[in-house]
Every structure is written in C-alpha cells, then in structure tokens.
Amino acid sequence: MDLKGKVALVTGGSRGIGRATCLALAEEHCSVGVNYNANEAAAEEVVEQLKKLGVDAQAFRADVSDRAQAKALIAAMMERFGRIDVLVNNAGITRDKSFLKMTPEQWSEVLLVNLNGPFNITSALLPQMVERQWGRIINITSIVAQMGNFGQANYAVAKGGLIAFTKTLAREVARRGVTVNAVAPGFIETDMTSDVPDEVLDVVCKLTPMARLGKPEEVARAVRFLAAPQASFITGQVININGGMYM
Ligand code: NAD
C-alpha cells in the first residue's frame, strides 16, 4: 500500500473521518493537503501530526461549496506540491428535519456542500489527473443513501447523487488511468453523530450485527486501500463500512 511520492487532498480534513484519512494516508508516506472550512487550529494540529509521521503537509482554507474557492484550493495545492494524485471528497454536513418541516434552505445547503462540493473540487482537479494518466478519487457517501433515514431527505439525496456521480465518472475516466470509488460509512463516532440522541444510537446498534458504532480509522483504512496503486482494477464501486447494518 505504499503511497510514497504521492500527494493527496482531503476535504474537510481537520476532524472526524477526514482527519483519520489524512493520518492513514501519511502512514503510507503520502503527502497531504488538509482542507478545512473554519477551524484553522484543528487543521494545523492535523498538519503537525502528519509532519510527525514524516510526510509533507499543509492546511488550506476553502469552502468547497463555493466554486471560486474550490478552484483556488486546487491552484494553491498545485503550486505548493506540483501534483495531486489522490482526492478524497470527504467534507459534508447535515441539516436534519423531517421532510414535512424541511425548509428550502436546509435542502439547498446540504446539496451545496455534499454534492456541489465534490463537483467543484473534482472538476477543478480532473483535467490534471487525466493529463498525467493517473488518479484516485474517493467520495465519502453514506449508508443513508442506500437505506434512507428519517429526517435526512436532503442528506440522502446528496449522498445518493454522489454514488451516481461516482459510477458515471468512473466510466468516463476508466481509460485515462483514473479510478473513482465511493466509501459508504454506517454510523461512525464523530462530531457529526455526537448530536444524535442516545436512544437513536441504541436503535442503530440494535440494527447493526456488530452492535456498535464504527470508528473513523475503520473508514480511513478503506479509503487508503482505494487510494493505493495496488487498487488498480477497482473502479465505480461503493465499499460499505457499516458493521453489517446494510448488506
Ligand atoms: P465531521 O462533521 O466531523 O466532519 C465533516 C468535515 O467537513 C468537518 O471538518 C467540516 O469542517 C468539513 N466541512 C463542512 N462543510 C465544509 C465546507 N463547506 N467546505 C469545506 N469543509 C467543510 O463529520 P464526519 O463524520 O467526519 O464526516 C465526514 C464525511 O463522512 C461526511 O461527508 C459525512 O457525510 C460522511 N459520513 C459520516 C458518517 C458518520 O456517521 N459520522 C456516516 C456516513 C457518512
């Protein structure tokens, strides 16, 4: 799984699954650009940890939902590292409400970050990957895209769109040396799930054969696997990491 000499961009890399992914990639000697939206201190802490692992790393502020900022992020990373081999579209948000109560703003905000975000970043980067005839794109989707979930119509649609995007883009660039895959986590212990009421998490555990939540590292290891040169014949796939909750 050696990623020596490769450079990765992880969006939303300052905490949770993104942070664990940055560290997992660095363990295999991959240099990392850590994108963050607001929390500079957290991003700098990740950069420090990455440097301790012996890789080159830098934090880059950008709101992925803003096309101009996404373009500027890719340009800044290209200037700093000269290449981007691995893209992990990880940044995501939730704005949960039952559909009867969901506002147009809650609908749009989630789509803008979770679906337009990957569009903005990927479209700014893809020509460079195609030109170099090598690339790994890994989109973080969700079990919610596969099963639906009460209060998450906006999120399920965005993550379902991301699966459709993954499969379509995989077909379009398959002969250009670029693979495109998705990872679909179940319920993982991060800030995103910290607000979920305990009684809901109890139900989640009851519905999960492994009877527990996942850890960010358990998702990150699958992302790292897909990023590696060895994963060369895997494209258009959705890898489920959910303790068996959805099979
Ligand atoms: P998290 O809230 O800890 O991390 C999300 C990250 O995205 C944060 O660092 C946040 O700052 C960043 N972000 C949000 N909006 C952004 C924007 N506009 N531009 C740039 N960065 C932005 O949550 P997490 O659980 O680590 O989530 C990571 C990804 O995994 C998300 O896409 C999420 O939807 C997905 N996911 C999480 C779970 C789970 O149970 N935690 C399950 C399935 C999928």
Side-chain angles (χ1 to χ4, degrees), residues 82-225:
R83 57 196 285 160
I84 304 171
D85 307 282
V86 176
L87 166 62
V88 184
N89 279 314
N90 167 78
I93 58 167
T94 52
R95 296 288 181 267
D96 298 355
K97 270 280 182 262
S98 68
F99 190 69
L100 282 171
K101 296 181 184 154
M102 189 174 286
T103 63
E105 290 73 27
Q106 287 162 339
W107 176 269
S108 302
E109 207 182 334
V110 167
L111 281 160
L112 273 175
V113 176
N114 297 8
L115 194 52
N116 288 34
F119 169 79
N120 292 336
I121 297 285
T122 307
S123 58
L125 173 59
L126 191 64
Q128 181 259 128
M129 283 184 168
V130 165
E131 193 185 333
R132 294 185 47 242
Q133 296 281 297
W134 205 93
R136 296 277 186 269
I137 298 172
I138 299 131
N139 297 318
I140 310 299
T141 175
S142 169
I143 192 171
V144 169
Q146 300 161 314
M147 296 182 72
N149 195 26
F150 189 96
Q152 292 201 302
N154 48 2
Y155 186 79
V157 163
K159 294 298 191 183
L162 202 50
I163 292 177
F165 175 56
T166 299
K167 294 181 180 182
T168 300
L169 191 61
R171 287 185 188 276
E172 291 190 8
V173 295
R175 294 184 196 183
R176 312 287 197 107
V178 180
T179 69
V180 190
N181 291 288
V183 166
F187 287 76
I188 311 296
E189 279 171 28
T190 67
D191 288 316
M192 188 173 269
T193 46
S194 63
D195 291 344
V196 178
D198 283 348
E199 53 271 29
V200 175
L201 293 181
D202 284 347
V203 174
V204 166
C205 287
K206 285 202 180 87
L207 293 172
T208 304
M210 288 191 183
R212 66 172 176 86
L213 301 190
K215 299 195 180 311
E217 296 74 23
E218 293 177 304
V219 179
R221 285 195 283 268
V223 176
R224 177 174 68 192
F225 168 71

Side-chain angles (χ1 to χ4, degrees), residues 30-107:
C30 189
S31 300
V32 185
V34 181
N35 160 248
Y36 68 99
N37 187 25
N39 195 339
E40 185 177 3
E44 290 300 343
E45 187 271 337
V46 176
V47 167
E48 217 171 283
Q49 295 299 320
L50 295 170
K51 287 188 172 161
K52 277 190 193 151
L53 289 168
V55 302
D56 196 5
Q58 187 171 314
F60 296 87
R61 205 203 81 73
D63 174 352
V64 298
S65 70
D66 182 300
R67 191 152 168 69
Q69 290 188 38
K71 274 183 153 175
L73 164 63
I74 298 301
M77 256 199 84
M78 287 300 292
E79 193 176 324
R80 169 69 170 74
F81 293 98
R83 57 196 285 160
I84 304 171
D85 307 282
V86 176
L87 166 62
V88 184
N89 279 314
N90 167 78
I93 58 167
T94 52
R95 296 288 181 267
D96 298 355
K97 270 280 182 262
S98 68
F99 190 69
L100 282 171
K101 296 181 184 154
M102 189 174 286
T103 63
E105 290 73 27
Q106 287 162 339
W107 176 269

